[in-house]
Amino acid sequence: MTGPLTGMRGIVLTQAWAGSYCTELLAFMGADIIQVEVRKRPDSWRGTYDAPLAERLRQVETAREAWNCNYLYNSVNLNKRCLTLDLQTEAGAATYRRLLPLTDFVVENFSPRVLGNLGFSYEQMAAVRPGVILCSLSAYGHDGPWANIPGIGGTIEPTSGLSALLGYPGGPPMNSGMMYPDAVAGLNAFAAIMAAIRHRNRTGEGQYIDLSMQEANLSFAGEAALEFLRTGRQRERMGNRHPQFAPHGIYRCAGEDKWIAIASESDAQWTRLITALGSPAALSESRFETNALRKENEDALDAAIEGATRSEHCEELAARLCSAQVPAAAVHDGIEVARDPALHERGVIAPVRHPEAGEWIQAVIPWRYSGIQNPPVRPAPRLGQHSAEVLAELLGMREEEYERLVAAGISGEGPPD
């Protein structure tokens, strides 16, 4: 392994997106991330044991188990090892307790009551491993009236104020459609853990990090929240528009489902935008001369711009506008992003070969260092793939002891017998 966290280990209890994404970033830093899962109830992003293989995977000879091939799980668990342990059993909890002295940090995203019920509160962990860092990602934090209310990205968006800002004028609040709060919480947790590691390196002190998904996402609505506090007005939903300048939107181009995003932040950019579009008469009207007038007539403005863009190739128009110093970009779908030669050249999109799912293009490490090498990218683990390896390597567990855990359904691979 290489990277700034080489030599550090996290034995983590994360699942779904927020916690798994956070710990994937730590793995990309070079940390040895051992993902602890349970055989009787696989990670929700693995899916269920009776789920069928995705249609495209049925053509892959090595693809056998849907829970090992789920693209959701495999996208956020790169560079990890997977150990199965049932912490609700005495032997499973005892095994996890033996692993704690060998870990630098623990990350979990259970409901607040779960970890204590398992006998692994921060105080209990710190007694076994002084200086341990524990990061808890929960929906609403570990105290307060909402502490034990369950939540996911789709419910965190409304409670953090984000949904009130998303949607179209006169329409209902909307969610982003992609569980955006999970990624926000994961990034916040990643930063908090890195800071806690820095603090421990300086002081020797461990840290308990109580991270609320709601609070992490509230900070992303800070501009609108401050606007309300200063003015007493709730910002209206604006669709793709900007509160101050126009145009700012997405416009149809030639072809099926082809679009371009265009913005103009000043009157000088507006002049260049008109020229790049061939100076159509509809955009040269006096009601569009200044930014203030364009905001007043934004419906007519957007219609006039789309009248000019509908016959244009989105990529060619985006290049022409950018060369004129006008912010613009073609709207890419997932397949177009995956095929982007620049992203491949920079290495952020790369082929990853999974032992069952085969080779697929994935988004990998999103940064590069000048002085150190990123670790090689490894595929997400199969369920329980590294159980025997980790227990033998870290605890010196003999095969017969491991097989007893497997027979009891406490460890092993795949569903319990």
Side-chain angles (χ1 to χ4, degrees), residues 245-265:
F245 56 78
H248 186 282
I250 293 178
Y251 306 95
R252 189 180 300 275
C253 290
E256 184 178 353
D257 200 29
K258 296 298 182 182
W259 306 81
I260 187 170
I262 300 174
S264 173
E265 300 174 286

Side-chain angles (χ1 to χ4, degrees), residues 83-361:
L83 161 67
T84 53
L85 277 180
D86 188 345
L87 302 188
Q88 291 183 313
T89 66
E90 185 177 340
T95 303
Y96 188 76
R97 197 168 288 109
R98 289 169 62 191
L99 290 168
L100 280 175
L102 306 173
T103 190
D104 294 286
F105 54 84
V106 174
V107 188
E108 59 91 14
N109 58 345
F110 294 130
S111 296
R113 60 182 177 274
V114 172
L115 211 57
N117 291 344
L118 292 172
F120 293 107
S121 67
Y122 175 65
E123 292 75 18
Q124 290 168 313
M125 287 195 201
V128 177
R129 198 305 194 190
V132 71
I133 294 165
L134 169 62
C135 180
S136 295
L137 289 85
S138 62
Y140 299 108
H142 276 232
D143 54 28
W146 288 22
N148 288 306
I149 294 177
I152 60 171
T155 58
I156 297 300
E157 282 190 64
T159 59
S160 63
L162 293 176
S163 296
L165 302 172
L166 298 176
Y168 293 91
M174 299 178 72
N175 277 4
S176 66
M178 58 169 291
M179 297 293 185
Y180 180 75
D182 282 75
V184 171
L187 283 168
N188 274 266
F190 169 67
I193 293 165
M194 294 296 290
I197 291 171
R198 168 67 173 159
H199 175 78
R200 187 176 62 195
N201 288 345
R202 288 172 40 243
T203 67
E205 297 175 352
Q207 197 76 231
Y208 174 58
I209 303 166
D210 176 7
L211 191 144
S212 156
M213 290 180 66
Q214 180 198 33
E215 293 163 5
N217 281 272
L218 171 62
S219 65
F220 274 48
E223 177 189 353
L226 181 60
E227 181 180 333
F228 174 79
L229 292 172
R230 294 291 297 273
T231 68
R233 295 191 302 271
Q234 168 67 34
R235 181 183 295 181
E236 294 182 2
R237 289 179 282 282
M238 298 179 293
N240 293 318
R241 291 175 177 174
H242 190 273
Q244 296 172 337
F245 56 78
H248 186 282
I250 293 178
Y251 306 95
R252 189 180 300 275
C253 290
E256 184 178 353
D257 200 29
K258 296 298 182 182
W259 306 81
I260 187 170
I262 300 174
S264 173
E265 300 174 286
S266 67
D267 291 339
Q269 277 187 346
W270 171 246
T271 300
R272 295 197 297 271
L273 170 59
I274 293 176
T275 302
L277 287 172
S279 301
L283 294 178
S284 302
E285 296 179 12
S286 58
R287 59 178 172 167
F288 302 144
E289 282 183 355
T290 67
N291 184 67
L293 289 170
R294 289 192 294 276
K295 285 299 292 180
E296 287 179 16
N297 298 282
E298 203 157 7
D299 287 340
L301 173 71
D302 284 343
I305 291 175
E306 189 158 293
T309 63
R310 289 182 73 98
S311 60
E312 296 273 4
H313 183 281
C314 60
E315 298 284 359
E316 294 174 359
L317 178 56
R320 197 162 75 241
L321 291 172
C322 287
S323 67
Q325 306 287 301
V326 176
V331 176
H332 290 168
D333 61 26
I335 292 175
E336 289 168 323
V337 171
R339 292 173 176 169
D340 190 313
L343 295 177
H344 281 265
E345 184 177 342
R346 286 182 57 82
V348 73
I349 298 287
V352 177
R353 178 166 291 280
H354 186 274
E356 280 198 34
E359 184 173 283
W360 296 89
I361 297 298

Side-chain angles (χ1 to χ4, degrees), residues 1-82:
M1 297 293 290
T2 56
L5 295 186
T6 296
M8 305 203 77
R9 179 176 295 117
I11 302 178
V12 305
L13 304 158
T14 55
Q15 56 183 321
W17 190 3
S20 297
Y21 179 52
C22 163
T23 48
E24 181 183 65
L25 294 175
L26 293 165
F28 286 161
M29 285 279 186
D32 179 18
I33 300 296
I34 300 171
Q35 184 100 349
V36 176
E37 301 183 47
V38 61
R39 293 175 68 190
K40 66 185 180 185
R41 188 176 57 257
D43 187 320
S44 61
W45 274 31
R46 284 191 183 276
T48 59
Y49 285 131
D50 58 358
L53 277 169
E55 185 175 349
R56 291 186 68 187
L57 286 169
R58 295 172 198 164
Q59 305 165 23
V60 179
E61 185 177 341
T62 54
R64 295 181 177 85
E65 314 296 357
W67 61 85
N68 286 330
C69 298
N70 194 308
Y71 67 93
L72 292 172
Y73 180 92
N74 290 347
S75 69
V76 291
N77 287 287
L78 297 169
N79 281 35
K80 300 181 186 180
R81 298 196 280 177
C82 178

